[in-house]
Amino acid sequence: MEEPDDMSHTLTVLWTIEPQTPPRPWLACSRCRRTRPFECSGKTRLNANGRRLDAWLIYRCADCDGTWNRPIFERRSVRDIAPETLDALQNNDSGWIRQVSFDVEGLRRNTDTIEEFAECRVTRRVLAQPLEGCTQLEIVLAVPLPIGMRTDRLLSAELGLSRNRLVRLEEAGRLKLLSGPRKALQRPIRDGMRVILDLANEGNQGDVADRATGRLHPA
Ligand SMILES: [Zn+2]
């Protein structure tokens, strides 16, 4: 396999992978009188009590108007709150709220029953075109929000290669995963991971490269 720094035959693409639907905590709804999924409303509430502040992210029952206030912090002294956080809360900052709504680990402090959604959107951008024939593909993964999708599942769906094929390519040293954990193929994708795939002996190398750039839709 050629080294990743041999750029003349390498097509380098950046994939930004973002989950589409925030996780839904299942909680007892006092109106429905049963356990229901709650969805992030996109609104926060900030309450001052002297020099201490409470902040919540507001969730709504999927079936009625019932709300649940997810604590962000409680009885916190103003000087102990990061100015960016306070600013985001005061302005209902949508980017900040989105980050918190996808913080599934934070949600686990409030409930054990959390519904997670696998679907995600992959945005592709070509970073470097090969100067000559393309025999190597490098994919840089940007994962701005936590996402549970396994690397093999992502690559299989987006490149049209079966998961078995990916395992065989890795065993043959023709698929390498850099800047990831051990056994990265079977683990969730990580921000900054790089996938290097040797296409030299791949019969359908043009298709794989076109799927990587989005010219061809995933199989
Ligand atoms: Zn309800």
Side-chain angles (χ1 to χ4, degrees):
M1 178 158 174
E2 290 175 338
E3 287 306 308
D5 56 5
D6 178 9
M7 301 310 289
S8 60
H9 298 279
T10 302
L11 168 67
T12 308
V13 292
L14 172 70
W15 285 3
T16 303
I17 300 121
E18 291 190 273
Q20 294 300 286
T21 310
R24 300 200 301 185
W26 281 63
L27 301 155
C29 177
S30 55
R31 288 198 189 195
C32 294
R33 294 181 178 279
R34 60 197 171 124
T35 305
R36 302 307 306 146
F38 278 70
E39 294 166 351
C40 179
S41 72
K43 297 237 169 7
T44 56
R45 224 184 107 198
L46 191 61
N47 202 29
N49 199 318
R51 289 196 54 74
R52 301 208 166 249
L53 294 178
D54 298 310
W56 300 273
L57 183 55
I58 314 296
Y59 283 69
R60 282 191 191 288
C61 169
D63 291 337
C64 76
D65 282 337
T67 57
W68 171 59
N69 292 349
R70 173 182 169 187
I72 303 297
F73 51 74
E74 289 171 296
R75 298 277 180 266
R76 178 98 45 100
S77 167
V78 178
R79 65 170 181 275
D80 293 336
I81 303 166
E84 319 78 88
T85 304
L86 201 53
D87 192 53
L89 283 162
Q90 282 166 337
N91 295 299
N92 255 312
D93 182 276
S94 59
W96 186 86
I97 289 169
R98 188 171 150 79
Q99 284 277 351
V100 176
S101 74
F102 278 99
D103 174 20
V104 68
E105 292 312 314
L107 259 184
R108 286 192 217 287
R109 285 197 288 271
N110 305 108
T111 175
D112 290 330
T113 313
I114 298 170
E115 187 180 3
E116 293 183 72
F117 301 90
E119 46 182 319
C120 60
R121 190 179 60 208
V122 181
T123 313
R124 299 161 166 80
R125 188 154 65 86
V126 174
L127 297 180
Q129 291 277 6
L131 299 175
E132 299 161 49
C134 174
T135 56
Q136 183 165 272
L137 172 65
E138 174 173 0
I139 305 167
V140 182
L141 301 183
V143 189
L145 294 164
I147 184 165
M149 178 178 279
R150 280 170 48 143
T151 307
D152 57 356
R153 200 165 153 258
L154 173 79
L155 295 178
S156 174
E158 299 300 325
L159 295 178
L161 299 168
S162 75
R163 277 151 75 163
N164 280 339
R165 177 115 189 88
L166 292 169
V167 169
R168 286 201 302 274
L169 284 166
E170 191 180 39
E171 284 167 359
R174 292 174 50 211
L175 169 65
K176 287 183 183 170
L177 302 169
L178 308 180
S179 312
R182 269 169 49 79
K183 294 189 182 268
L185 201 54
Q186 287 81 28
R187 295 257 173 85
I189 53 175
R190 294 258 185 95
D191 189 42
M193 241 171 74
R194 291 193 302 140
V195 179
I196 316 270
L197 180 60
D198 174 6
L199 295 175
N201 301 317
E202 213 54 40
N204 56 346
Q205 58 178 260
D207 285 359
V208 174
D210 283 350
R211 287 196 185 101
T213 59
R215 253 197 309 258
L216 190 66
H217 283 291

